[in-house]
Structure formats: C-alpha cells, structure tokens
Amino acid sequence: MKKRIKWICLFLLFPMIVLYFSCKSGTQNQTSAGLSQEKQARVDQADLEKKLYRCPMHPNYTSDKPGSCPICGMKLVPVEKEEKATPPAVKKKTMYRSTMNPNEISDKPGKDSMGMQMVPFEVEEGGEVSEVGGRIAVKISPERQQLIGVKSEKLRIQPIHKLIRAVGRIDYAEPNISLVTLKFEGWVEDLFVNSTGRFVRKGDRLLDIYSPDLVAAQQEYLLAMKANDLPGGSGLSVLKSARERLKLWNISDEQVENLERTGEVKKTLMLYAPISGFVIEKEVLQGQKIMPGENLFKIADLSRVWVSGEIYEYELPFIKPGQEANVSLSYFPGETFSGKITYVYPYLNPETRTVKVRIEMQNPGFKLKPEMYANLEVQVDYGSRLAIPADAVIDAGEKKIAFVDRGDGYLEPREVKLGVKGEGIYEVLAGVAEGEKVVTSANFLIDSESSLKAALKQMTQGQSVEGKRENQHD
Amino acid sequence: MIEKIIEFSAKNKYIVILLALAAIVAAIYCIQNIPLDAIPDLSDTQVIIYSRWDRSPDIIEDQVTYPITTAMLGAPKVKAIRGYSDFGFSYVYVIFKDGTDIYWARSRTLEYLSKILPRLPEGVKTEIGPDATSVGWVYQYALVDKTGKNDLAELRSFQDWYLRYWLQGVPGVAEVASIGGFQKQYQINVSPTALAAFKIPLMKVVEAIREGNNDVGGRLVEFTGTEYMVRARGYAKSVSDLENIVIGNDMKGTPVLVKNVANVALGPEIRRGVADLDGEGDTVGGIVVMRFGENALNVINRVKEKIKDIQPSLPKGAEIVTTYDRSELIKRSIDTLKHQLIEEMIVVSFVILIFLWHFPSAIIPILTIPIAVFLAFIPLFGMKLTSNVMSLSGMAISIGVLVDGAIVEVENAYKKLQLWQAGGRKGDFHEVRLNALKEVGPSVFFSLLVIAVAFLPVFTLVDQEGRLFKPLAYSKNLAMAIAALLAITLDPAMRMLFTRMDYHHYRPRWLSQITNTITVGKYYPEEKHPISKILFKLYEPACRFVLKYRKGTIIAAVLLMITTVPAYLKLGSEFMPPLNEGTILYMPTTLPGISVTETQRLLQTMDKIFKETPEVARVFGKAGRAETSTDPAPFSMMETTVVLKPESEWRKVKRWYSGLPGIMQRPFRFIWRDRVSWEEIVNELDQKMRFPGVSNAWTMPIKARIDMLTTGVRTPIGIKVFGADFKEIENIGQQLERVMKDIRGTRSIFAERVSGGYFVDFFIKRSEIARYGLSVKDVEMVIMSAIGGEPVTTTVEGRERYTVNVRYGREWRDDLDKLRRVLVPTMAGAQIPLDELADIKLSFGPSMIKDENGMITGYVYVDITGRDVGGYVNEAKKIVQEKIHLPAGYSLQWSGQYENMIRVKQRLKTVIPLTIFIIFLLLFMNTKSPVKASIVMLAVPFSLVGAVWFLLILKFNISIAVWVGMIALMGLDAETGVFMLLFLDLSYYDQVRQGRMKTFDDLKEAIVHGAVKRIRPKMMTVTAMFMGLVPIMWAMGTGSDMMKRIAAPMIGGVFTSFVLELLVYPPIYAIWKWRYEMKQGTVDVSRLPIPQLGKH
C-alpha cells in the first residue's frame, strides 16, 4: 500500500516537473526560432508590461500587447527600447533684449539698434519639453542622422528682404524726347537726316528748308536794318520786331548774324537737331511742303531710359519710391541692370488691374531698347531680423514647426511664429532663439519619427498628448 | 464484395498489374502537366475597377469612387464592394462570393460599370484590372544600362513601348507593369510674364497645342486611273514641331509661336513610383503579373525564354537583370517536398523491411507507396488543382498511413504462411495466402475509411483557410483512397506473384542465396523473429508493471492529460505558418506625405546598406506604385526585394568543430550549421535599417502579397462606421474606442485614423471673381493647367506615344508665394493673380479615403480575449446603443471575422461531434461493443498530450496548419487504438475458448500475451507512420516549415498515444474485464457469447 502511494506521488510529481522545465525553456530559447517578429511576439508576462508593440506596416497602430495588426494581420513588432530623449543638461544663460523691439535679442550686453541700453533676461537651455502639435522630442544618433542626411543650420540675424516680381517694359524717358517742328510754312529743299533710327548729335544739320515767308521775313529784316542805319534811327523798333520774328521762328542766332553780315537773303534755312539722340520718328520727305506745326522729327535721348513695371494691387503696399529694383531681360540672359523706383503712379490701369511704377536707369551702350519686355525684381528690405531657413519649417496647416538640434542627437520640435517671408528664409517672431540650430533637411523623416514617438508616449501615459497630428486636418 | 474484388485481382494478377502500369503512365503525364505553384492562390474572386485621374483623394472619392461603387451595388453574387481613393488613383474592389467564376464576375462588373462610365468626369481613365492579383507577381526585372548609352527616359520608353508588349504577349501573362525611370513627356513650360506681355491667356496655348498635333485623311483621289490616298501629316514629332505651333498674332500681326511664350523640353512625367537597383540610383523595372490560375513555373519559363529571344533587340548597352524570380522558390519547395517524399518512402520501406524481415512481403507496401502517390496526381490533375507545397504536404503526411493497408495484409499473409509452414504445410499455400488477404481486406478498407472520415472537418474551412488547406485535404484523401483501392487490387495481385515457398538451390551459391532471400524469404514464428525478440524483452516487464499498478497508471495518465491544458495555453497563434521563400521582402513604412525625392533618396540609402551585406546578391527597391491596378501601395510604403546568394556562400560561423579537417566537419554541419542563419541575417539587417521615422517590416514576397490582398477586417470584430464626412466618422470611432475599452474581454480596440495628406487649398472668393467677370471654372482651369499641368494631347511617334503637358515653368510655381501669382485671364484681357481671387491655405487631411457600398467608411478594430464572441458582441451593441448617439446619416455595422468565426464554430459544432460520432460508429461496428469503442477513443486525448507538448517544445504557434495536423491525428488515433484493443481481445477470447479464464492472474497472463506477443504488427504500423513523418522534422529546405507545422502534432501525438496505449490500455482492459465481465471471477466467462472478432 505504501509503495502504491509512493508511486502515485511520483506520477503526480513528474508532470509538474516537466511542466516547470518546459515553461522555463519556453522563455529561454526564444531567440532561436522563426523570423524576428515571430519570435519576439512571444514574450513572457514580465516584459509585457514594459513593451509596446507596433505594426510594421501601419505605424499608427500601437498596442501594449503582442499580437497581430488588426488592419493587415501582420505580427506586431516590439518597439525598440530607446534611451529617453532627454535634453542636454539645463544651463542658464543671460541674454539681452531691446526694450523697444522685443525681437531684438543679443547674447552680449550693449545698445540696440535704436541706441538704447538692452536689458538682461534669463533663458533656460534645455529642460523638459512637451509635445508640439502631436510631436515630441526625439533622439537620433549622429550616425543615423548622417544616414538620412540631416543637416542643420544656426539661426542668425540677417537681412531679410522680400522680392516682388513684376513684368515691365523699357520706355523712353519722357523728359528726353524732343520733337522737331516748324512754325512757318515751307518746302524741304535738302534732307540730311533721311532715315529713322539714325543717331544725331545736338546741333547736327537736319534739313534745309525753303519758305517764302522766311525769305520775306529776311528781306523785311534787311530792310529794317537798312532803315535803322539811316539817320533818325526810327527803324530800331522795326528791326527789333523783325529779329524777334526770326527768333520766334526758331532761326538760330548764328543764322541771323550771318544774314546781318552778308546782307544776303538766303533762300533756304538750315534746321539743327535740338538734342543728341536717336531719330525715332521721321515724318518728312525731300521736297515736302510743310505746314507750320507739323512734326518733322522725333528725337529721343536713350542714354537714360525708364522701365515701367506693372505691380498687382496686393503687392502695392510693399512698393515705395526709392527701392532698389533689378531688371533682367530675356535678351541678355544672366545680366541684371539695377535702378531705383522713382515714381509710383497714383492710379490703376483698369485694363490690366495693375499700378505702374517707374524706374529710371542709365543706358550705357544703349543696350536697353524701348519696348523691350523686362522682368523686375523689387527688393523690399525689412532690415536685419532673426531668420529661419524656409526648409526648416514644416507647415502642417495650423501649426508651423521646426526641429531644433540641441546637440547629442537630440532634436526637439518647436512651434514657431513666423513673420515676413524673405527669399528662402522667414523671420522668426517666436519659438526659436538666435544661435539655436534648426534642422534643414530630412525633416520629413524626423517629423514622422517624432509623431510616432508621440503616439507611443500617448499609449504609455494615457491621453496626455492632445491635438494629435492625425486630428489636424481642419 | 471487397473479398470478391480481392479474389478477382489475385486470380487475374497480370491484368491488374498491366492496368496499374497503364495508370502509372497516365500519372506520369499528369505530373508533368499539372500546374505548379508554391502555395495555392488564396485570393477571393475579385475584380478591380481601377481609375486614374490626377486629383486629390477627396475629389477622386466624390467624383469617381463613389459613383462607381454605387453603380456596382446590386450586381449579382457580390459579397462586398470596397473603394479606395488615393491621390491620382481610385480602386474599387468588387468581391464576389466564393466559387464565382472570375470571367463571369468580370463580365458582370463590365455590365454594371457601363452604366456609369459616361457620367464620370472628363479625363478619368477607368479600366478593369487584369484577371490577376498581386500574388501573381511572379517575375520582376530591371532594365539597366551600365554603359551609359541610354538614359533612364530612353530605357523607360523601351520598357513601355516594346519590352512590355513583348512580354505581355507570352501566354499566361496577364500584365506587365512598369516602374521607375522617367516617363518621357513633352513639357511646355509656359512663362506667365510672356503670356502677360503678349496678352495671351493660358487656355489659348493649350488650345493651340491641342490643335497643332493631328494626322487626318482626305479619303481618296483618282489620277490617271490610279487611286491615291490622301493624308494630312500634322503630328508633332519633336520639340521643334511643338515650339513652332502658332498661338496667335500680336497686335501688329507678328505671329506668336509657342516658343515665344514657353520653353519646350522633354522631361519626366510626374512620378508615382520609383525603383532602385542595388542602391545605384533610379532604375527602370518591370513586373510580370501572372494570370489567375496559371501554372506559375511554366509562365516564368516562357517569360525567360522570351527574354532570351529578345536579347538582341534590346537597345545597345541595355540588359535585363532579374530581380525576383518565383520559379526558384517553386522549384526549391517542390524539390524539398519531392526529396521529402522520397526520403519518407525509403525510411518507411526500411521500417517495413526490418519489421517483417522478409523481402517478398516487404516489397508490396514498399511499392504501394510510390504508386499510390503517383496515382493520386491523376484526380488532382482532373480537378484542376495545382501541385503546391500544400498538396504535396498532404501526401507527405499520409505516407506512413498509406501503407497501413498493405502492411496489415502482408503481415497477415506472412503470419498465416508461417503457421501453414509450422503446421506441416497442410493444403495449398496459394489458397492460404488468398484467404489471409481476403480476411483482412474489409478491415483495411475500414481503417482507411476512418482516416478519411476524420479528415472531413478540413473541408468545412472557408475563405483563405479553406483555399489554403483544401488542396492538402484533397491530396491526402485522394492518396488514401487510392491506397485503399490498391490494397484490394494491386497488393493482392503482387503478393500472388511470389509463388514459391521453397528455396531453389543452384550455383553460384551466393547468387542463389540472394535470389532466394528476395523471392522466397524465411518465415519466422513470432517469438523467434529477430525484431520481436527485442521488443518482447522491452515491453513485457513494462506491461507487467502497469498491470500491477493499474490505478496508479490510470491516474498518472489522467494527470498527464491535464498538463496539456497549461501547455496549450502557452502556445501562440498565427494565421499561416511561415513559408520561407528564400527571398526577403523589406517593407519600410513612413507616415504618408513623403515626397518622391525624399523617398528616392531613402530607398537608395537603404539599398546601398543591403548591398554591403555579403549574403545579398541583389536588391531591388520599389516605392510607390507600379503601373498596375494590382499595386495599391502609396509612396509611404516602400518594398525592397532582397535576393540572397545561395546558402553555400553565406558567411561562416565558428563552430566547435571548425578546427577539424574539412571532410570530418561534414557530418556535424547537419546538426550545427556552420553558416549564418536566415534569422541572423534578418536581425543584422534590421539593426542596420533603423531609420528614424521609418518602421521596418520583414516579410517575404508571396506572404506580403497575400497579407496585402484587401480582405477587410481581420480582427474578430470590426465595427464599420458609415457616413458622409470622414471627420465625423473618425470622431465616432474615437467615441467607440472610449466606450468599448472597458467592456469585459476587450483585448484591444483601435479606431482607424485618417492620416497624412498635405494640401494646398485654394478657396475661390466668389465675390472677387464676380467683379472681374470670371467664373469658378475659369479660375479652376488655370489652377489645373498652370499649376498641375494637364496632359493636353498625345504625340504619335511610331509605336511610341508621349503626352504633351502644359504648365507654368517650375520656377513659377515652386513656392507658395509664386502660386499666389498665377495669373487668371479675364474677358477684358487683364490677367489677375490668384491671390486676389482665392484664399490660399495649407492644410492637413486624409491621404486615402475608404468607401464601402457607397458610403465613406471608417473601421474600428476590436480584438477580444477570454470571452465568447457572440456574447461580447451582444453586450457591446447594447452599450454602444446606450452611450453613443449617432448623427443622422451615420450608421454602424458590426462585422469582422467574428461572423466567420461564429459560422465556422457552428459548423464545427456539428461537424466535429458528427465526425467523432461517425468514428465511434465505425469503431462500434468493428468492435461491436460501446465500451471498446470508448476505450479506443481514449487514444484521442492520449495523442493530444504528445501533440501539444511537442508543439511547445518546438515553439510552434497554433495555426490552422497545426489544427489540420491534429485533425489528421484523430484518424490515426482511432486506427492505432483499434489495433491495440484487437490483439488484447484476440488473446482474451483465445484463453476463454480454451476455458482458462478463471482468475485475475489468468486475465493478466492473457493481457500480457495479447499486448506483448503481438507487439510487432502494432509497432510496425505505428513506426511506419512515425518514421514516415520524422524526416519532415529535420527537413531544411523551402516549404518545409509549412509541413513541419502539420507534422509536428502528428508526430508527438502518434508517439504518446502509442506509448500510452501500450501502457494504459492493459490496466483499463484488465479492470473492465475483471470488474464487469468476469465479475471478479464469479462468472463463468466461457459461457458468455464470444463475439466475432476482427480478422487479425
């Protein structure tokens, strides 16, 4: 009987021992079988509480239990335990701020741009940061950063300027155009400048003209002169008026003197160019009868030209006379000409819905030809401000986020408030300080990592992360 | 009846053998022509309606997906309609009921689609996807040029316009999809300043280009009796042709040409997919998609043949590099299984040979195995089933059982002949032999019937499981059926062939000895048989021991059974056991919204790292979509196919025996591999691939494609939230999350989040545009063409066709400020910047919209544990109804696997008891005693002990494959149980007949006699089964994993059930007989009716 009990006890013990050992071996040998997911899915109870699992295909799905993804049925993989992303040690630093312009911050005491003493204030470097727009700080080792091509750039105060682009046209400078007309009737005897586009210098002989009126006037003048020479001197007033007449008819003093000297009535009269420039219009032909007031030539001086640009209504507030403008033409690729806005027209062209601006420019070598199309770039200077590269800013609709590189692979998301936009840079109003480094490339991956980490954190800490990234689509 | 067949076969042995030979020839034909594949196609009958239109997901949803899904509603035999709207693509999956013919389904789809097609917006290209699924991606290649003579655009053109069509023409290929490279496009980059200067609206440029590219015909003219065909040649064929198209005149009459306002260049089309080869940068790739139900191996071979043929026609310097080839896998896995089958056959043959120790008898079961396996291919071929890992596994697991019939017959004949010889050779030995065969014929049939019946539950599996395991069930049962048929036809015929009983002596003596051993053999009595002697020595003391401690033994057995419960609970679970495909598919996923450039850079960096790993032969990375409707992957999901070098080239690992000379190391390598393992490589790569913001998935090509087939909700419970606005749907989903989290049994709940699309929204200011006399359309047209760039027309250049695209030059639209300046022409001729007409905002929205049966859908996935699904759903429904108030127009639908699970459960609830009942009934018919039948059924729990523990030791998860193994085990159990009991009975009644059954000691002696003396046949059948499965466990090759999962429970189960049967049946039998039949020795047992026993 006793023996039997002994045996029964033994039989009872045996399966328990087997069970015990198999349980043990079951947990120990996990590393050997199956693909990584498979093997990692089976973890013992103790690890269960710490680990989080994520579907490798749907990173949005995280669970605190191993199993398979509800969406695709793939095995969940444990999320790699990473060192907690803690910022480097907290340092206090004294910075100085302008009392007039709070954006003007410096790390050295001194006077601000307006000449006022800057006041010191303390900033914390480091410290715990919370989530920003569903993103939290991440730690990415320098090797991995290099792998994905992370680059960062130090923020500094730099001149910000905005470029306003406009189309424009080269125009004659209005003050530099002259017309050649006659005030008397006549016939063209000799035409010296007989083609349009010819360059004339001031005083060049343009044409000879025969005019009966002019002959009569000359004769009258000679008569008056003679009468003046007579004793009694009564002819002086007549002579004066005759001379006046010739003068009003634009007969040059030289020609009048010539007439006086020779006493000979010239049949024809010479006409000279009033300014240097190009003949842009020529209305006169050899032998033509000319009526008084008729335009003979239009001469434009092209050593200076105007560029008129068309500015759209919404950009008008940025435009002021005196701004630098770069003009580029498709005719001279790679070359830019610069000038200044001299005038903003006070009215809007109803047809094009634009406002004209005028830029006066020198035209050395007459390269700029009127009626050429030009592209204008007007630089609007905002002065020196704290600037962040546009590449560093992730614009997710509501919030604008930049990742600050705090060193040691620690990247921290910050919401930034942006001011004006310059070329490839933004003005920073708040969020990052001068001297901090922001990530300028591979932002997408860092952003994803950060969002995923935030989702994980939410899993571990309950619903602490509000305003998750997924919910931002409004 | 069966006896008559046996008699007939025995008498007409030559006819039977000839017929068998003919059948074998037919089988060989079938084997050569049967479609081969790695695993069965698991996809539903589904038709994909695929539309392309470069619009954002919500626009696609509203204008394309929604109309199509609603049009498809009401089509016959449709199970579900699921729509997905992504940027530029709309997929509508029409899923038909199981068993619907794919071509019938396709024509129904077309029929219903035709209603809606004319009503879709202009520019939407809708087509029906190929008659294939992504599981049909059997071959992939890259078209590369290492000499640098062809650029990516030229290679892509060649791929698109030549190579693709050549390969698509190969029989069995449904589609060839291009990926990567640059698709050539004529890009007309308009300068808005020039347009403004010339006062030409953008639309006029578009119009002019559209009208400047056409060929027409002027019918016929006749000159001098000859007819001439009139053509007007106006196709634009080059950049300069396009440049010189006239747009209009300026005010002075000078013509304005396209080149005056735009820069015309050949450039890449907007890219929705990039490819990378070996980390060397962009490349052009192609994916050969096989038609549904084709023979993958043949298709691949034909494709390769074709590639070889066209090699000379490739552009100079270009070559085709194979990046993925499934035929390797198919060949490898089929080879593994073939190898396995042969190995098993040899092992089983040895077992038989050793146990019988008699060649003429052994040769019959040995021949039966291959013949049964061969012949099983005939019906498989007839049923159009493919030969794959599953169907071959079915055969592999049944090999040990196949021979049972033959073994029993042969053993019986052997025994009878031995008795005949021992009894002084009375009568004709032919007669004795025939009678012996006829005696067991019906039992053989019966035993095979039990096995077949036990396997029936497998046929009740539906959907993917059904598709996966039915081939296995078919091939197993067919092989069994054929084995049964052979057992009563060919086996008797063959046994009759060896007619001689005496040695025939002649010279040389060694030859005569050999021939005699082979043809005649020696008949030993049981006790003197060399194998039996050893078994007796081992088993007799054990048997006596358990008979002494009967109750203790039984209690121990019960305890052992109880231990399976915690062991079972420790097992993990998985849907499908892994099939190691030998190729890694690495699928990194980031959040949606990543740009092409960024993806391309990432892909290349990753591939470079892969390529640096010494085991990697080739890396082909793909991000975004290939040009096929079977690829719905967005940019955020990259797929990298990593082809490894042959295992022999993998890095060596130092082992303890590494110091030994080369030859001596060989045997150790089988046990301790001296190369890095697959897992180690994957782990190493996983460590290297830790990219921030990217999560890694390591899988294998076929497995991934199967996983990605859109199968809807995979958790037990899914709640579909239907409605019109995805934001509200998401909100409801989150409410559900909160409410249901606390319901008892909730394991996890997850409401899908709409995520990841970045948008630039133009909100058109109606009051502003009214002021300028513009319509919304005017503004939109400009946004579409200036920013987006509409393909205006298509050039025709020989076989090649390229789109012509008009849009603002890049420098005019690459930043938000510049978009503000896009000009909209008014009627008056003024050009107004967009900023004055619309508010421009950046926003964040859904990158993909799901649509089911015409409603926008959000899924909430619920996984439960430790609770009955039905009860859980009822409780959850009630709670949800109380706590959540749905806005009008929103509804919930409870679905998910639970419907299926309930259905399967209900089916199994009837099928399993029914199976057990049938087995019991068969047992009862055989044993004529309910008690005996019950004792036999005890084998089932006995086997579970081994099955569960063995799984635990091997660290296998519970999967359907394991269940299938368990089900197969049930049949084996019943069979072995019958054997055990039979011999006990035989011995018992033998003693009873001789009137020696009086005391407990008599009973004990009878039991020991029955159990021990006939251990050989029992041992033989079980060993055959067991040894037939064991080779599977040390198989290493491709496809062995799947088989191991099925075989493991069988091996463990057969082992423990046999051991326990040997040890536990005798005490149980003793107690039963002593207590109830012999009534502790007070009843004269010989007076009781002696039942007719089985013929063993």
Side-chain angles (χ1 to χ4, degrees), chain A residues 11-12 22 34-35 37 42 56 61 65-66 80 144 148 165 167 312 314-315 351 395 449 469 473, chain B residues 193 556 559 591 678-679 690 693 695-696 698 727 747 750 758 821 830-831 835 842 844 949 955 957:
Chain A
F11 274 121
L12 273 168
S22 62
L35 279 180
Q37 303 114 310
R42 220 185 301 156
Y61 180 76
K65 303 176 195 84
E80 201 187 347
R144 301 222 181 279
I148 58 170
R165 292 186 174 79
V167 285
Y312 287 103
Y314 78 104
E315 285 169 331
E351 263 174 34
D395 195 332
E449 175 78 5
R469 187 183 184 193
H473 44 65
Chain B
T193 47
L559 285 174
L591 294 184
W678 169 275
E679 289 78 28
R690 292 280 156 84
S695 66
N696 291 345
W698 298 94
K727 242 182 281 171
R747 187 171 190 272
F750 176 70
Y758 295 86
R821 292 194 48 103
Q831 307 227 16
D835 193 70
L842 291 178
F844 199 75
W949 279 99
K955 290 185 270 318
N957 289 326

Side-chain angles (χ1 to χ4, degrees), chain B residues 197-374:
Chain B
F198 285 110
K199 295 200 168 39
I200 291 171
L202 185 65
M203 283 304 121
K204 214 168 161 194
V205 180
V206 171
E207 209 92 313
I209 289 163
R210 203 170 274 153
E211 282 161 16
N213 172 37
N214 201 13
D215 261 19
V216 291
R219 302 181 81 175
L220 295 169
V221 287
E222 243 178 82
F223 302 130
T224 55
T226 315
E227 63 173 30
Y228 291 82
M229 288 171 266
V230 182
R231 298 186 290 185
R233 318 301 305 266
Y235 277 142
K237 291 194 164 157
S238 62
V239 170
S240 71
D241 281 354
L242 287 168
E243 274 180 340
N244 290 321
I245 289 174
V246 181
I247 304 170
N249 286 327
D250 68 357
M251 283 139 289
K252 292 180 191 110
T254 318
V256 178
L257 303 180
V258 167
K259 66 178 166 194
N260 298 131
V261 296
N263 160 37
V264 182
L266 275 169
E269 162 79 288
I270 173 168
R271 299 211 281 168
R272 300 313 294 161
V274 291
D276 176 87
L277 183 69
D278 292 345
E280 285 163 4
D282 270 319
T283 191
V284 177
I287 299 164
V288 177
V289 189
M290 182 189 73
R291 184 160 288 137
F292 198 79
E294 279 284 339
N295 181 343
L297 192 61
N298 287 355
V299 172
I300 296 168
N301 286 341
R302 284 197 289 261
V303 166
K304 284 201 236 171
E305 199 65 32
K306 184 80 191 174
I307 287 178
K308 213 181 276 166
D309 286 351
I310 57 181
Q311 207 75 42
S313 321
L314 293 181
K316 246 204 169 110
E319 55 177 319
I320 293 174
V321 176
T322 305
T323 56
Y324 174 67
D325 180 356
R326 193 184 290 171
S327 64
E328 302 284 317
L329 167 68
I330 298 171
K331 270 191 232 148
R332 263 206 315 272
S333 53
I334 301 283
D335 276 354
T336 311
L337 280 151
K338 261 195 223 155
H339 185 77
Q340 219 55 60
L341 284 174
I342 292 166
E343 219 170 81
E344 282 178 20
M345 285 180 204
I346 293 168
V347 170
V348 172
S349 305
F350 266 107
V351 168
I352 295 164
L353 205 57
I354 288 167
F355 273 90
L356 282 175
W357 211 249
H358 185 245
F359 192 80
S361 302
I363 190 78
I364 290 152
I366 290 169
L367 282 177
T368 310
I369 310 173
I371 295 173
V373 169
F374 265 51

Side-chain angles (χ1 to χ4, degrees), chain B residues 371 397 650 783 990 1072:
Chain B
I371 295 173
I397 59 166
W650 292 6
I783 293 173
D990 215 34
W1072 171 51

Side-chain angles (χ1 to χ4, degrees), chain B residues 694-708:
Chain B
V694 177
S695 66
N696 291 345
W698 298 94
T699 174
M700 284 163 284
I702 301 180
K703 187 176 176 338
R705 306 276 169 241
I706 291 172
D707 283 347
M708 283 192 299

Side-chain angles (χ1 to χ4, degrees), chain B residues 770-787:
Chain B
R771 201 171 285 160
Y772 297 108
L774 288 166
S775 67
V776 170
K777 194 186 165 196
D778 293 333
V779 181
E780 286 174 343
M781 288 300 270
V782 171
I783 293 173
M784 264 161 57
S785 46
I787 300 169

